């Protein structure tokens, strides 16, 4: 049956938490945020105390009283008399049906009751049928989850999930662990909190675990405040193109448990890796309910539909849900229903074959760019081959700073590149790196662009 998402048997990483308690509504009244967290270990049956991870603002968020009542209304019989529900009547909306033709030739039709749902407000957590399908998908790719302690919430792209997590967790000046280089959309979320950044260098396999361990040990020894969050973009990272191997992830997860940290797993390129096996996620090894995982449909379905989803501890996602109740209210219902229809129509097999198609597309583009850089940039730059995604991270030999190379010399030649400083945790520091993307350019443009880049590097070096 290709319509279901079966859970792989014998998955050694099955993320079933040993903690069996249900998450009570008491999390609406989170205790004082400053009280210390309880450090768990894998054998513990005591649920993690999340107070350490919820800042004062977030702890003060209260459920929108009316939205909570509407959640109850959803379960009442249809003949109940809705005099108190303040939503517009869909009969007044000008849409008769929504019909979408897929590139596979299939159609998606949204009509009748589904159309009414697609045109109306939804619970802030998301469209229930979509949440159910996403639970199956997470069970399938990340091992069977304990859906009592863990929840999914739909977000407007992965970015909203990250933003909600950071706004829930950080206090001004908090120490945080960040990879260097880093996705600009992440560093820009952290900066307004004036964080004490513990930046961790990356090698060709991603962040170097010994560096994390060393920094944590030193801070502990010096009695400095300890970080409560580590942000990582583990698969085909933006911009470095690195994928963290499982053994490094296990070590990082161990450190997160030892030092009572959350892991913010920003993984929008998870389905875009070029390896034979799917990566083993932090979520799949999360026996202590300390991973907040952000997924996104942006890179595999459409970046414009703005649908992503966050998976993590129910207590924390509840805090984020309360924020969404007062910000966007929820991600577009039309897009949620559309993605639901697509996923249920395709089932696991259809989805997997779509992933394969997208991966093949990017892998061919990566391979072509690798040939071009080998042809033109020998002796001018160093790189490691991207493991997925759409980015190549180049270190320019003989230049300490690529700012002028990118923003002047290459622009003059109409070649657009991303300068390394913009993707560094310290944007003021000069960077010898640049980021290239193989997503959009045609093979000819890649060849021409990289030969012009080589020319620009030579010119810049001669100065
Ligand atoms: N994380 C990373 C690492 C990204 O590269 C991006 C998009 N560039 C995002 C998150 C956010 O993407 P979206 O909101 O479209 O899902």
């Amino acid at each position: 049956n290709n319509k279901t998402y079966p859970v792989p048997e014998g998955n050694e990483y099955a993320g079933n938490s040993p903690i069996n308690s249900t998450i009570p509504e008491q999390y609406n009244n989170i205790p004082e945020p400053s009280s210390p967290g309880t450090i768990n270990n894998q054998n513990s049956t005591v649920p993690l105390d999340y107070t350490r991870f919820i800042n004062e603002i977030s702890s003060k968020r209260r459920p929108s009283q009316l939205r909570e009542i509407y959640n109850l209304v959803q379960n009442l019989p249809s003949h109940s008399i809705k005099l108190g529900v303040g939503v517009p009547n869909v009969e007044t909306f000008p849409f008769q049906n929504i019909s979408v033709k897929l590139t596979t030739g299939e159609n998606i039709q949204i009509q009748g009751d589904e159309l009414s749902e697609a045109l109306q407000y939804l619970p802030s957590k998301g469209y229930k049928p979509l949440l159910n399908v996403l639970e199956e998908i997470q069970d399938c790719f990340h091992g069977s989850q304990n859906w009592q302690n863990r929840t999914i919430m739909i977000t407007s792209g992965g970015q909203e999930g990250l933003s909600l997590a950071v706004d829930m967790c950080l206090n001004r000046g908090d120490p945080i662990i960040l990879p260097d280089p880093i996705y600009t959309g992440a560093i820009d979320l952290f900066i307004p909190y004036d964080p004490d950044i513990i930046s961790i260098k990356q090698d060709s396999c991603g962040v170097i675990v010994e560096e994390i361990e060393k920094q944590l040990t030193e801070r502990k020894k010096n009695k400095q405040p300890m970080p409560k969050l580590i942000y990582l973009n583990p698969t085909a990272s933006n911009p470095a193109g690195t994928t963290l191997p499982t053994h490094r992830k296990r070590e990082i997860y161990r450190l997160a448990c030892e030092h009572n940290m959350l892991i913010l797993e920003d993984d929008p390129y998870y389905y875009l890796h070029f390896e034979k096996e799917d990566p083993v996620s932090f979520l799949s090894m999360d026996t202590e309910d300390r991973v907040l995982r952000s997924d996104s449909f942006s890179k595999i379905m459409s970046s414009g539909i703005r649908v992503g989803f966050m998976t993590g501890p129910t207590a924390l996602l509840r805090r984020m849900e309360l924020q969404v109740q007062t910000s966007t209210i929820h991600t577009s219902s039309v897009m949620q229903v559309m993605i639901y229809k697509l996923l249920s129509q395709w089932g696991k097999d259809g989805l997997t074959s779509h992933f394969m198609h997208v991966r093949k597309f990017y892998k061919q583009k990566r391979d072509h760019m690798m040939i071009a850089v080998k042809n033109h940039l020998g002796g001018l730059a160093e790189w490691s081959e991207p493991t997925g995604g759409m980015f190549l991270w180049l270190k320019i030999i003989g230049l300490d700073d690529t700012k002028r190379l990118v923003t002047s010399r290459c622009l003059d030649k109409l070649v657009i590149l991303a300068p390394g400083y913009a993707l560094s945790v310290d944007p003021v520091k000069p960077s010898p790196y640049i980021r290239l993307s193989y997503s959009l350019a045609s093979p000819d443009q890649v060849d021409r662009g990289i030969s012009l880049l080589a020319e620009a590097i030579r010119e810049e070096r001669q100065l």
Side-chain angles (χ1 to χ4, degrees):
N1 177 1
N2 70 349
K3 302 285 176 206
T4 57
Y5 300 87
V7 179
E9 276 177 31
N11 184 336
E12 68 168 304
Y13 309 114
N16 252 338
S17 165
I19 306 159
N20 286 321
S21 66
T22 51
I23 297 294
E25 268 307 280
Q26 83 205 32
Y27 283 106
N28 289 330
N29 300 310
I30 295 280
E32 278 304 296
S34 54
S35 57
T38 312
I39 301 181
N40 269 1
N41 61 47
Q42 294 202 7
N43 303 318
S44 170
T45 51
V46 183
L48 201 66
D49 177 351
Y50 291 105
T51 44
R52 166 175 155 76
F53 307 117
I54 296 167
N55 64 22
E56 198 181 337
I57 302 257
S58 183
S59 72
K60 283 186 180 158
R61 291 191 190 281
R62 57 168 219 174
S64 153
Q65 303 299 329
L66 284 178
R67 292 227 103 220
E68 293 298 309
I69 294 174
Y70 295 150
N71 284 343
L72 296 177
V73 170
Q74 311 262 329
N75 303 321
L76 291 181
S78 58
H79 61 268
S80 44
I81 303 166
K82 292 174 183 159
L83 292 183
V85 184
V87 300
N89 193 316
V90 293
E91 282 176 31
T92 65
F93 296 159
F95 303 97
Q96 172 107 41
N97 70 57
I98 298 174
S99 175
V100 177
K101 183 140 189 171
L102 303 181
T103 50
T104 55
E106 299 157 87
N107 280 309
I108 291 180
Q109 296 286 354
I110 305 175
Q111 53 204 6
D113 287 349
E114 270 176 348
L115 180 69
S116 299
E117 289 181 290
L119 296 177
Q120 191 53 278
Y121 288 117
L122 284 175
S124 294
K125 248 181 96 176
Y127 181 50
K128 188 74 178 114
L130 174 60
L131 291 169
N132 292 342
V133 172
L134 293 177
E135 282 186 6
E136 288 178 36
I137 289 179
Q138 295 302 63
D139 281 342
C140 175
F141 285 95
H142 306 287
S144 178
Q145 307 288 309
N146 176 349
W147 293 113
Q148 266 165 7
N149 291 356
R150 227 161 263 180
T151 302
I152 297 182
M153 182 172 80
I154 310 297
T155 54
S156 295
Q159 187 69 26
E160 189 194 19
L162 302 180
S163 162
L164 291 168
V166 171
D167 288 345
M168 168 188 66
C169 189
L170 279 206
N171 287 305
R172 207 188 154 115
D174 270 350
I176 42 167
I177 301 183
L178 302 178
D180 192 18
I182 185 170
Y183 162 54
T184 30
I187 185 74
D188 290 345
L189 281 175
F190 292 111
I191 290 298
Y193 289 91
D194 284 334
D196 176 4
I197 296 175
I198 304 166
S199 72
I200 306 295
K201 282 202 194 67
Q202 300 197 49
D203 62 15
S204 58
C205 295
V207 287
I208 301 164
V209 182
E210 290 72 28
E211 286 223 12
I212 306 179
E213 189 148 30
K214 197 173 113 209
Q215 301 251 25
L216 286 170
T217 313
E218 256 170 45
R219 288 185 85 91
K220 201 163 189 180
K221 200 176 87 199
N222 300 336
K223 299 204 166 40
Q224 283 172 280
M226 297 299 280
K228 55 186 173 188
L229 187 80
I230 170 162
Y231 163 84
L232 291 166
N233 172 206
T235 313
S237 68
N238 178 1
T242 51
T243 294
L244 265 177
T246 309
H247 64 93
R248 284 201 190 182
K249 283 189 182 148
R250 279 193 207 293
E251 281 300 293
I252 293 170
Y253 187 75
R254 179 185 64 76
L255 289 170
C257 295
E258 197 180 313
H259 297 278
N260 197 16
M261 298 186 288
L262 288 183
I263 296 178
L264 181 52
E265 178 173 43
D266 176 21
D267 217 358
Y269 304 101
Y270 178 79
Y271 297 110
L272 276 193
H273 67 82
F274 303 147
E275 310 296 316
K276 278 206 186 76
E277 304 278 325
D278 289 330
V280 175
S281 65
F282 283 110
L283 183 73
S284 68
M285 44 181 89
D286 187 16
T287 49
E288 294 195 4
D289 291 317
R290 55 174 72 253
V291 173
L292 280 169
R293 178 181 167 82
S294 170
D295 280 282
S296 176
F297 287 111
S298 282
K299 321 293 174 183
I300 42 168
M301 299 291 184
S302 150
S303 35
I305 59 168
R306 307 308 300 138
V307 181
F309 55 106
M310 191 71 151
T311 311
T314 306
L316 296 181
L317 263 74
R318 175 68 173 153
R319 291 286 112 198
M320 298 185 207
E321 182 191 347
L322 297 187
Q323 180 164 357
V324 172
Q325 284 185 351
T326 57
S327 56
T328 56
I329 304 187
H330 56 75
T331 298
S332 160
S333 313
V334 173
M335 291 311 165
Q336 292 194 51
V337 173
M338 197 173 96
I339 285 287
Y340 161 70
K341 297 281 290 180
L342 178 64
L343 295 177
S344 45
Q345 208 160 301
W346 273 1
K348 188 187 181 224
D349 289 353
L351 192 61
T352 309
S353 80
H354 177 66
F355 292 157
M356 293 304 176
H357 161 73
V358 183
R359 274 178 213 171
K360 194 171 157 204
F361 174 91
Y362 283 107
K363 190 167 177 300
Q364 275 173 354
K365 293 229 166 227
R366 191 263 329 247
D367 291 345
H368 184 84
M369 186 173 270
M370 294 320 294
I371 293 169
V373 291
K374 275 176 205 151
N375 284 345
H376 297 290
L377 295 179
L380 297 176
E382 288 168 358
W383 60 86
S384 37
E385 195 169 85
T387 54
M390 48 194 77
F391 302 113
L392 172 67
W393 189 231
L394 285 182
K395 184 176 184 186
I396 308 302
I397 301 169
L399 289 186
D400 295 332
D401 189 358
T402 54
K403 190 171 185 174
R404 197 177 47 206
L405 175 76
V406 171
T407 58
S408 169
R409 273 190 203 285
C410 286
L411 264 195
D412 287 349
K413 296 177 195 290
L414 297 181
V415 179
I416 303 161
L417 303 160
Y421 71 88
L423 297 138
S424 157
V425 291
D426 181 0
V428 181
K429 215 171 108 194
S431 163
Y433 289 91
I434 55 175
R435 189 192 73 183
L436 274 66
S437 170
Y438 39 85
S439 168
L440 297 180
S442 67
D444 281 355
Q445 288 174 323
V446 167
D447 286 335
R448 176 117 188 91
I450 290 179
S451 90
L452 287 169
L453 167 63
E455 202 177 282
I457 298 172
R458 286 198 186 92
E459 288 165 10
E460 185 68 13
R461 272 176 168 186
Q462 271 164 18
L463 274 185

